Amino acid sequence: TYENSIIPKSFRTPYILLFYSDWCISCLQMEPTWRRLIDELEPMGVNLATVDGERETAFKRRVGVHSIPCLVVTMDGHSSVYKDSLYNVPKIVDFLRSKFPYKLIPKVTNDNVDSFLSGWKDNRIRALIFEKKEPLRLRYLLVAFQHRERVAFGFVQVGKPETAAITSKYKISGELNTLLLFNENSENPMASVSMKDISIDTMHNVIANNKFLLLPRLSNQQMLDSVCPPEWLRPQKRLCAVLISQNSDNHDLARHKFRQAAMASPYSTERVRYTYVYKESQPQFVSALSAGEGSPIEPLLHIVIIWRRDANHLKYEWLPNGWLEATEDDRKLNETRQKLELTIQRLLRVTEALPYAAKVDELADEHAQGTVGKLIGRALLAVDYISDNLTKEQLLPFVSVLASLLFIGAAGYGVSYLVKLEEMSVQKKLSQLNKENVNGNSTQPQLKLHEMRAETFNGLVRLLKPGCRTIILLVDAQSKTKLIPKFHATVWPY
């Protein structure tokens, strides 16, 4: 259950697990606190469950539980053990809050509001939360965590000079909490809710009805299934008009004109959805649609209308006119838009069928990060966290400690590299001597005395053959010239 159910669901909803035992007196004492957690957190969507620590010993070791009772928070696929000895609701809630991704809901001010609202090229709508109090309520964090793949949240603290321009522009009342949702148009929100206390269900419902941009991008299979769901019943035919483009600023105008066509469309989004796709990001999808008859030689900046039969099969028809030429001339643009609407109107008829069929594979996930990307992302978040939480007085000691650690690491690497070179040198000399002995070309052997140093220790001691010994002569500057010749003569026979 943990690996197959809790871990996958924890990427959208946190889990709190209580490990207990029947004989545990402390577990009985914690029962009132656990019931309060259930009453306060379950309505918000937090999942709470109990685990018998005596029966589930392997599971207990798996998540790092060493004593009972014990609370474990599972979020984003990771489990964290609550280690405070005091079990009360405020401390546990603070522990839960600390496990949310850093800057899940960043602060938005007059200086960064434009860049925040214009960041929709990541294929997510924008949401602004207006409230007087800080820190943010847990309910907002839970909603933002659940919808983070579709919505980017920002927090505007009402009553501050640095947010006065935002509250004035959108006519925000300081007495009510407000949630605004934005698509590509940052001047006017597409949805707004103002209440003294916005419930979590209200936020979920508003987001569910406004979770797509005017012109969303088919960036992964989940987006394709949401925007263009499979529907094979003819009376409920749902079409998608897809613009083939590239991730280039040169195609911004074409996408902007197509977005305007979507806004002027007489059909509801439940019947017709306008969208676009990056050709270089989804080459298999575009190739499957452009391989059949009736397809343009170069599909770039052309429109294809699709009707999905199931997860892997669809029917389609290409619009004969290219969209690039239409965007360069207003007259051609109007003619092309009229042809597009007439084509959609014809294909929506129950008796009309789309002429071509194709089999498509699952779309590539453009938002997935590789190992290097995840490491870079975590490093940037760590830098942000340090810069936000360190004062000027703390910065200098931190930089000093960091520089010392880097110096120690570099010095250790340098010493290990020199030792490795010495070991390779000794091995090479031994192999040459062995080769000369085997070939019978060995000359009169010579005894060489090596100086024992830190970098030659491994070569003179660790790499000796089994049964061999190392004899060390300890000398100083005065006795060196007298003792070394005698030592040489003594060890020569051996």
Side-chain angles (χ1 to χ4, degrees), residues 35 62 127 146 166 207 219 272 348 447:
R35 291 189 179 278
R62 163 76 171 79
Q146 181 170 340
I166 308 176
I207 293 172
S219 55
V272 179
L348 282 174
L447 176 64

Side-chain angles (χ1 to χ4, degrees), residues 7-133:
I7 288 294
K9 291 180 180 178
S10 71
F11 288 93
R12 292 173 56 85
T13 305
Y15 274 80
I16 299 180
L17 307 178
L18 171 61
F19 287 80
Y20 73 97
S21 177
D22 293 335
W23 53 263
C24 174
I25 299 177
S26 300
C27 300
L28 296 176
Q29 295 173 345
M30 188 186 168
E31 184 177 354
T33 302
W34 181 247
R35 291 189 179 278
R36 278 193 59 195
L37 285 173
I38 293 175
D39 294 339
E40 293 187 16
L41 299 183
E42 268 197 348
M44 295 185 188
V46 180
N47 295 305
L48 295 97
T50 56
V51 181
D52 190 337
E54 292 297 310
R55 294 183 179 180
E56 302 292 341
T57 55
F59 178 34
K60 188 171 69 171
R61 290 193 299 269
R62 163 76 171 79
V63 296
V65 173
H66 300 292
S67 61
I68 291 176
C70 185
L71 283 176
V72 174
V73 172
T74 301
M75 187 187 299
D76 243 356
H78 303 287
S79 295
S80 303
V81 178
Y82 178 80
K83 297 181 179 180
D84 200 311
S85 59
L86 184 60
Y87 286 89
N88 61 33
V89 174
K91 282 186 172 293
I92 296 172
V93 171
D94 288 341
F95 178 71
L96 174 63
R97 293 173 64 95
S98 68
K99 298 306 170 186
F100 283 96
Y102 183 60
K103 284 193 174 180
L104 177 65
I105 305 181
K107 287 185 178 181
V108 177
T109 63
N110 300 334
D111 297 331
N112 63 355
V113 62
D114 292 334
S115 61
F116 176 79
L117 294 179
S118 62
W120 48 262
K121 287 188 177 181
D122 62 3
N123 214 24
R124 298 186 296 170
I125 66 171
R126 262 47 192 169
L128 286 180
I129 300 170
F130 294 83
E131 189 174 343
K132 282 185 176 181
K133 298 179 181 179

Side-chain angles (χ1 to χ4, degrees), residues 465-476:
K465 295 181 179 179
C468 295
R469 297 180 180 178
T470 299
I471 300 175
I472 303 174
L473 175 68
L474 302 179
V475 297
D476 54 18

